[in-house]
Amino acid sequence: MTENDRMEQDQAGNFLHRADGSSVSQAPVNDRVVSLTAPGSIAAEQYRSLYYRLERLREQRPMRLVAFTSALSGEGKTVTAVNLALTSARANPDRRILLVDADLRRGQVAELLSFRTRPGLSELLLGDAQLREVVRRFKANRLAVIPAGQPPEEPTQLLASTRMKELLRAVREGFDEVYLDLPPALPFADASILGTLSDAVVLVVRANATAGKHVHQALEHLAGASVIGCVLNGAAPASTPYLKSYVR
């Protein structure tokens, strides 16, 4: 590790203070970020429920770094990770919370939050940007975000690199909670690589769309990772009539 890398790790806890004004998102977020656009909705309530379930698990075991993946693309893993990170930031204004878009093939966090996409994680891992250049702040809360950046030629190699492992060690020390948005588990090895480096992995499954065999295959691909459960995404409100009668 170079001296510059050590300096970056030592300053991990100062990400938010070093993010300049141009790094603060001011544009409207995507409508799917319901934790902000529709905080009174049934969907937003479900993200709060997920957050408090994770909090209870944290009382039993260390879970600083939580990763989200799915069997295939289009199941809602990114929307889930973004909404959960924002829900946590809103519930805990004093906590240092980081959201990392580690889907270097098809990163969507920046689009959902109206951030510029570059520089991001890929530029950092390639050595083309420094840590302070890739971190964004979301408006006035303490949520920090690292977007995916430009898709690289060999994303799996970057995510398996020593530089990535050093980054994860640094953010563990600098943040109270870290959420990783991983690529889908079945098409690529990326999720299994980063899943084993995470404290917990959540598998997002789209209701009435994801085949059961694909869920089982994804779990097999994630062998060695600590998969703590699944999130059923896209279920109709009619499937939760009790909640529907209380949420307006």
Side-chain angles (χ1 to χ4, degrees), residues 40-108:
S41 65
I42 291 176
E45 185 62 32
Q46 293 303 295
Y47 288 119
R48 286 190 287 272
S49 177
L50 174 60
Y51 160 72
Y52 284 112
R53 290 187 182 190
L54 286 176
E55 283 293 278
R56 289 195 293 271
L57 288 175
R58 286 189 173 102
E59 295 175 358
Q60 304 171 19
R61 51 177 286 193
M63 284 202 327
R64 180 162 295 196
L65 201 159
V66 180
F68 288 81
T69 187
S70 57
L72 302 169
S73 62
E75 300 197 56
K77 63 178 181 60
T78 302
V79 172
T80 300
V82 168
N83 276 289
L84 181 64
L86 286 168
T87 297
S88 181
R90 187 170 184 175
N92 304 283
D94 294 330
R95 287 190 189 176
R96 300 163 299 172
I97 300 172
L98 174 67
L99 171 64
V100 181
D101 191 343
D103 190 344
L104 299 186
R105 302 170 187 272
R106 192 182 176 187
Q108 297 182 12

Side-chain angles (χ1 to χ4, degrees), residues 133-200:
E133 297 175 298
V134 303
V135 178
R136 315 283 193 272
R137 282 192 299 116
F138 186 77
K139 294 184 177 178
N141 65 28
R142 292 184 63 85
L143 177 65
V145 180
I146 298 180
Q150 178 73 19
E153 293 184 359
E154 298 181 339
T156 300
Q157 182 176 334
L158 282 183
L159 294 176
S161 67
T162 299
R163 191 181 289 268
M164 184 65 189
K165 294 182 178 67
E166 292 171 351
L167 173 65
L168 293 181
R169 283 196 294 268
V171 298
R172 281 180 184 276
E173 296 174 1
F175 289 89
D176 301 306
E177 298 174 24
V178 180
Y179 298 99
L180 293 180
D181 178 29
L182 307 183
L186 289 185
F188 316 110
D190 308 12
S192 61
I193 292 171
L194 292 183
T196 58
L197 299 176
S198 304
D199 298 324

